[in-house]
Amino acid sequence: IVAPGGQIDIFSTRSAGELNYPSFSFTQNVNGQTFTAMGTIRLTGRPADGIPGTLDVTDYFGEHAGAGGAIRIRGGQFEMDNASVIADTIMDVPGAATGISAAIAGDIILTNASSLITENFGPAGSGAIELIGRNLRVESGSLIGTSSIEGDLGLGALGSSGNINVTASESITVTGTGPFNIRSSIRTEATGGTGDSGLITLSAPTV
């Protein structure tokens, strides 16, 4: 799913109720029902064909002056398998302050070189990543990251990388390696230019 400079919102439930948009707050439907069970969201790719499953709000062709959009995910379980969620800012117009957010009742799981990433290639900074769930598992070469990358766009000093904030009620684990022995990681970085890397905040009983 691609929405250049736009917004992708995904919500999954296994019960009846009513969702207020864009706040994602719950209320009773006409029958007096509210959500009691949330659903599972799975984003998967086709490794044999080299095609990852993708959600992408990067404005690659400048339709929105290069400003990255936002991706919001809400549900009971969020699973990524050889998949990518991307919210990059290409030029000098700031994108969404929070590029990627996921508030999940259960677990957030990244496997098989999956990635949640925001990047910037010009003076505007990259968006933050905000994750809330029961457990966060980053496995087999997967990545959660923000970065500020020096490019050849002639746009002057680079902006800074977004912050990464993870809150898990039980645990956060980062384990394993993927293709080419790349380690699973949660990281923020600035490569070249004057931009700073962001802050990483991990909050859980077990990390």
Side-chain angles (χ1 to χ4, degrees):
I1 300 175
V2 178
Q7 184 160 307
I8 297 174
D9 291 330
I10 298 177
F11 175 80
S12 179
T13 180
R14 295 187 291 111
S15 60
E18 185 170 315
L19 177 71
N20 295 316
Y21 186 84
S23 67
F24 275 129
S25 61
F26 301 162
T27 189
Q28 292 181 345
N29 63 15
V30 294
N31 297 316
Q33 299 167 302
T34 56
F35 298 118
T36 57
M38 306 304 290
T40 296
I41 299 166
R42 294 188 180 94
L43 184 61
T44 62
R46 300 204 307 265
D49 300 324
I51 302 174
T54 302
L55 302 176
D56 193 344
V57 291
T58 303
D59 183 25
Y60 292 104
F61 302 106
E63 298 173 35
H64 300 274
I71 298 171
R72 302 191 302 169
I73 300 167
R74 305 291 186 269
Q77 188 94 348
F78 180 39
E79 302 173 0
M80 297 176 61
D81 184 350
N82 186 233
S84 298
V85 176
I86 306 166
D88 288 358
T89 296
I90 301 298
M91 301 177 77
D92 57 347
V93 176
T98 300
I100 299 170
S101 69
I104 303 298
D107 298 342
I108 301 172
I109 304 170
L110 285 71
T111 61
N112 293 326
S114 292
S115 58
L116 291 169
I117 55 174
T118 68
E119 301 170 314
N120 71 284
F121 299 88
S126 61
I129 297 177
E130 306 273 353
L131 305 177
I132 299 172
R134 181 176 58 203
N135 296 290
L136 171 67
R137 291 163 41 196
V138 184
E139 303 172 346
S140 53
S142 295
L143 165 68
I144 297 172
T146 67
S147 59
S148 172
I149 301 172
E150 185 173 17
D152 298 319
L153 300 177
L155 297 175
L158 291 177
S160 298
S161 303
N163 296 331
I164 299 174
N165 298 307
V166 181
T167 302
S169 60
E170 294 185 3
S171 68
I172 298 170
T173 59
V174 182
T175 59
T177 59
F180 309 106
N181 207 34
I182 295 175
R183 294 181 179 179
S184 303
S185 62
I186 300 174
R187 68 174 184 260
T188 176
E189 59 187 351
T191 57
T194 59
D196 295 324
S197 58
L199 301 175
I200 298 176
T201 304
L202 305 179
S203 301
T206 303
V207 179

